[in-house]
Amino acid sequence: MSDVTIYHNPRCSKSRETLELLRSRGVEPTVVEYLKTPPTAAELSAILAKLGKGPRDITRAKEAAEAGIAKDLDGEALVAALSANPAAIERPIVVKGDRARVGRPPESVLDLL
């Protein structure tokens, strides 16, 4: 299933668990280490649409504060800030076709398969 992509942080235990869960189900996803290759604002907006969530829903509060992202940002401004500061994006995110899930807990991605 090469049509599955995981936005992955190898230092994150939940991200590693989600990747392993996919592989244990016979899925070898495209792995995007999003800290090295952050999604553009347009890509992140597309991911949010697939998640059915707003940018605040995938924002890691501590990392956003550390990056200086204002708490009152929302919409396109927050998407741009997250794209510029990918450590503030919740992880992992798994995308398949027109759907996506945040892998917290890792099992939440199974309905994509």
Side-chain angles (χ1 to χ4, degrees):
M1 278 192 193
S2 62
D3 62 336
V4 175
T5 300
I6 183 170
Y7 290 85
H8 177 61
N9 178 350
R11 296 184 65 198
C12 171
S13 64
K14 293 298 178 196
S15 195
R16 290 191 311 268
E17 288 172 26
T18 302
L19 180 57
E20 180 55 36
L21 178 64
L22 292 171
R23 288 177 170 160
S24 75
R25 300 292 170 113
V27 176
E28 186 54 47
T30 299
V31 178
V32 176
E33 288 191 33
Y34 70 94
L35 295 178
K36 293 180 181 177
T37 310
T40 65
E43 290 168 334
L44 193 52
S45 290
I47 292 167
L48 286 166
K50 293 174 184 189
L51 285 167
K53 297 183 181 284
R56 186 63 52 199
D57 298 324
I58 64 161
T59 301
R60 296 177 63 87
K62 179 182 175 208
E63 288 83 348
E66 290 171 355
I69 298 173
K71 289 183 180 182
D72 62 344
L73 276 186
D74 205 5
E76 290 180 23
L78 181 53
V79 170
L82 291 173
S83 178
N85 299 281
I89 300 172
E90 188 59 83
R91 60 192 179 253
I93 297 175
V94 177
V95 178
K96 181 181 181 196
D98 63 354
R99 300 182 314 146
R101 298 288 181 271
V102 175
R104 289 186 174 271
E107 294 77 18
S108 67
V109 305
L110 290 176
D111 73 325
L112 294 175
L113 310 180

